[in-house]
Amino acid sequence: MLNSTTMNPSLQTIYVDADACPVKAEIVEICEFVNMPMVFVSSYAHTLTLPSTVKVVTVDNDKEAADLFLMNKAKKGDICVTQDHALASIMLAKGVITLSPRGFVYQEDTILQMLDARYISQKQRRMGGKTKGPKPFRQEDRQMFIEQLTKIVTEKEGT
């Protein structure tokens, strides 16, 4: 997956909104390779089985408990993996590099449009309408994630 050069992104941590994250193993593999600290955050309703190199934080089942933990702990220059557009927008404002498990790197110039689309869909559902759900997670999504995370951690290492 990565080349054999030794990398060590100093003082950078990757935070993972882990409840429904389909790329946990890929995150672990990449972060172990570059010796990057990992924090996986999930609710009590989810059991995570991860290697001892991973710090696992378990939070209450409250809807926003994991998000609140991530918002409070991540700092500028860290990385966050989440599918939650609202959390991504807050992380971007803090200077946290944020990407989805599909490999989409959230950007300041597109996040408002994504939040608007999310709001319109929620409003339509509350009025009894139907909206499309997310597309099925594909191998291409997994590969895109691996490529993007590898690019991010290797670029950070070079700075």
Side-chain angles (χ1 to χ4, degrees):
M1 178 184 312
L2 295 171
N3 62 31
S4 61
T5 60
T6 304
M7 296 171 239
N8 187 6
S10 62
L11 304 175
Q12 182 182 33
T13 301
I14 185 162
Y15 290 91
V16 181
D17 188 359
D19 282 343
C21 182
V23 289
K24 293 178 192 81
E26 291 79 3
I27 295 168
V28 170
E29 182 178 346
I30 292 168
C31 289
E32 284 180 343
F33 188 82
V34 297
N35 196 27
M36 178 182 289
M38 301 166 265
V39 179
F40 283 61
V41 182
S42 68
S43 71
Y44 286 111
H46 297 84
T47 303
L48 300 181
T49 305
L50 296 164
S52 61
T53 55
V54 178
K55 179 178 180 183
V56 176
V57 175
T58 306
V59 296
D60 289 336
N61 285 332
D62 294 337
K63 184 178 177 186
E64 305 300 329
D67 294 355
L68 289 171
F69 179 89
L70 291 163
M71 286 185 277
N72 286 318
K73 294 296 182 181
K75 63 189 179 316
K76 183 175 183 173
D78 284 338
I79 302 169
C80 180
V81 177
T82 184
Q83 298 180 73
D84 184 329
H85 296 159
L87 177 59
S89 70
I90 293 166
M91 292 301 199
L92 285 174
K94 290 183 70 168
V96 175
I97 301 162
T98 310
L99 72 155
S100 77
R102 294 176 187 268
F104 178 79
V105 180
Y106 296 99
Q107 302 289 332
E108 289 280 346
D109 60 346
T110 57
I111 196 69
L112 287 178
Q113 182 180 9
M114 296 172 79
L115 291 170
D116 285 344
R118 177 180 174 233
Y119 170 75
I120 290 167
S121 292
Q122 287 174 334
K123 186 175 175 182
Q124 186 174 354
R125 285 190 299 273
R126 279 194 302 270
M127 293 175 13
K130 296 193 187 274
T131 59
K132 290 183 179 180
K135 295 177 183 174
F137 190 78
R138 305 168 304 147
Q139 185 59 34
E140 293 86 359
D141 298 321
R142 185 176 311 280
Q143 189 58 43
M144 177 62 80
F145 176 81
I146 292 167
E147 290 170 13
Q148 288 296 335
L149 183 57
T150 301
K151 180 179 174 186
I152 289 167
V153 300
T154 56
E155 283 177 359
K156 293 298 286 182
E157 190 275 333
T159 60

